[in-house]
Amino acid sequence: MEKKVLKISLDDIPPEGLEVPIEDREGLVIKDCFPIKTPIIGRVFLQRWGPIVKIRGHIETTLVLICDRCTENFYWPISENIDIELHPIASLKAVQEEVRLSKEDLDVSFFDGDLIEVDEVVREQILLAVPMRKLCRQDCKGLCPVCGQNLNKETCACKPLKQESPFAILKKLVVSPNK
Ligand SMILES: [Zn+2]
Ligand SMILES: [Zn+2]
C-alpha cells in the first residue's frame, strides 16, 4: 500500500469520475494534530465539472483527544460525509471577494496546479469534525483545583470549591470585606 501523499492528477480523473479508496493505516494525514485509535478509512469519488472538481465520499476514524477538563485521553469516533467543491486557485484572484463571502456557506476549497491532494481534503474534514470543546463526557467533573485528583474517578478530601462566576466571587468580596 502506498504511504505517499495521495495526490490525483486532473488528467487521471475520467469523465465518469474516479473512485479513490482511503486507507490510512497510520493516520499520517492527521498525525501531527491528533493520535488515532483506528485507521482512517473510507472512499471518495472525484468528478470534474469544468474547472471544478467535486469530491464526495465518506471517511471514518477514531481520534484520541485530551479532555479539556480532566486531561484524560478519550476516544472520539468520526464518521463524516464529504461533499465539497475544489476550485482552481487561479480562479481565486478573479472572484476573491465573492468566494470569501460564500465560503462559509459552501464547502469550497481550492487546489493549485493540476493536482488534487486527497489527503489534504480528508485531513480538513477530520479536523472539522473535532469539537472546539473537548470533553471526555458532557458532565466531566474535571480535576480538583487543590490536589489535582480526577474527580470522575474519586472524590478527594479537599474543601469543595463551588464553581462560581467571577461576578459571584466579586460580589462576595464586596459584601464581606472582613472575610
Ligand atoms: Zn474529562
Ligand atoms: Zn482535592
Side-chain angles (χ1 to χ4, degrees):
M1 189 178 42
E2 278 292 309
K3 285 283 160 46
K4 276 186 273 173
V5 179
L6 188 50
K7 289 181 182 179
I8 307 288
S9 166
L10 283 186
D11 296 334
D12 290 340
I13 306 174
E16 68 271 20
L18 178 71
E19 191 171 273
V20 180
I22 307 293
E23 287 178 344
D24 185 351
R25 290 187 185 281
E26 288 154 14
L28 289 178
V29 302
I30 203 80
K31 199 166 77 168
D32 56 332
C33 294
F34 302 103
I36 61 163
K37 164 88 169 111
T38 57
I40 301 163
I41 52 159
R43 51 186 63 246
V44 293
F45 186 75
L46 281 68
Q47 198 158 25
R48 293 181 69 174
W49 290 68
I52 297 168
V53 176
K54 291 196 178 194
I55 301 186
R56 288 179 165 191
H58 188 85
I59 43 164
E60 286 182 17
T61 184
T62 302
L63 300 180
V64 182
L65 302 182
I66 297 170
C67 178
D68 288 342
R69 277 191 204 150
C70 71
T71 71
E72 292 281 320
N73 286 351
F74 67 100
Y75 299 139
W76 185 262
I78 287 173
S79 176
E80 285 292 301
N81 286 324
I82 297 177
D83 190 358
I84 66 165
E85 285 182 7
L86 291 182
H87 293 236
I89 205 154
S91 73
L92 182 59
K93 284 167 193 125
V95 288
Q96 203 159 20
E97 285 309 307
E98 196 185 329
V99 168
R100 190 176 295 160
L101 286 175
S102 61
K103 206 183 170 188
E104 299 294 318
D105 311 316
L106 285 170
D107 274 332
V108 172
S109 246
F110 297 94
F111 66 95
D112 203 0
D114 64 349
L115 282 179
I116 302 298
E117 295 191 31
V118 176
D119 276 348
E120 197 49 43
V121 171
V122 169
R123 176 188 165 83
E124 244 174 57
Q125 296 302 308
I126 293 173
L127 289 179
L128 285 172
V130 174
M132 292 286 286
R133 204 161 174 234
K134 302 171 193 63
L135 294 178
C136 62
R137 57 190 216 212
Q138 278 307 308
D139 62 344
C140 170
K141 296 192 183 85
L143 303 176
C144 167
V146 180
C147 72
Q149 168 67 44
N150 183 340
L151 298 174
N152 297 317
K153 293 179 176 168
E154 227 175 303
T155 49
C156 57
C158 301
K159 235 177 159 182
L161 292 174
K162 253 194 175 170
Q163 289 261 319
E164 284 177 307
S165 77
F167 290 112
I169 291 165
L170 202 62
K171 204 172 165 189
K172 200 188 277 176
L173 290 175
V174 172
V175 169
S176 49
N178 53 334
K179 206 173 179 182

